[in-house]
Amino acid sequence: QVQLVESGGGLVQTGGSSRLSCTASERLFDSYAMGWFRQAPGKERELVAAISWDGVHQYYEASVKGRFTISRENSKASVYLQMNSLKPEDTATYYCAASSVTGTASSFSQHYGYLGQGTQVIVSS
């Protein structure tokens, strides 16, 4: 069972930046895509970014494209989400995710079967 532990987040002002980190418990991490989901109060969970097993390809949801950057370090079994130009609508709980079915930067939420416990990001206006 893959375990994912997120860190980072917290309270940020509009226009500010924040960096989320996630470490996986297993080295099979190297073979699979990773992603970040978020869920705002009263809304469905959505996939906002994904990265291929080798870090070459990324997927971004339209509302974060150009502001968020996903990256990974396989040697550390870690994935990161750099968030810039944050907006109040980015306020949500952010979840690290791992796929067990694909190594590509899939945009399909169903491909990510493992989720971390989540870390909260609050963007104040």
Side-chain angles (χ1 to χ4, degrees):
Q1 183 77 8
V2 175
Q3 292 187 328
L4 305 168
V5 179
E6 302 101 337
S7 60
L11 180 63
V12 186
Q13 289 188 332
T14 295
S17 297
S18 184
R19 187 182 192 230
L20 306 182
S21 301
C22 170
T23 301
S25 62
E26 297 186 15
R27 285 305 301 270
L28 61 80
F29 167 96
D30 296 7
S31 302
Y32 293 105
M34 297 292 292
W36 288 92
F37 285 76
R38 70 182 179 188
Q39 187 167 21
K43 294 189 177 181
E44 291 188 359
R45 187 179 296 158
E46 62 175 349
L47 178 65
V48 295
I51 190 166
S52 58
W53 70 275
D54 57 0
V56 172
H57 301 286
Q58 299 87 34
Y59 158 80
Y60 295 100
E61 193 271 330
S63 68
V64 307
K65 206 167 187 178
R67 300 187 298 122
F68 289 12
T69 302
I70 188 171
S71 60
R72 67 189 294 164
E73 284 187 84
N74 286 352
S75 63
K76 296 182 179 180
S78 295
V79 63
Y80 311 98
L81 186 67
Q82 177 66 42
M83 304 182 292
N84 298 329
S85 303
L86 283 162
K87 305 175 181 179
E89 51 265 42
D90 294 318
T91 295
T93 299
Y94 285 74
Y95 300 88
C96 177
S99 175
S100 60
V101 299
T102 182
T104 64
S106 174
S107 62
F108 292 102
S109 298
Q110 310 92 297
H111 285 172
Y112 300 88
Y114 300 104
L115 287 180
Q117 80 286 355
T119 186
Q120 197 167 28
V121 175
I122 299 173
V123 184
S124 63
S125 57

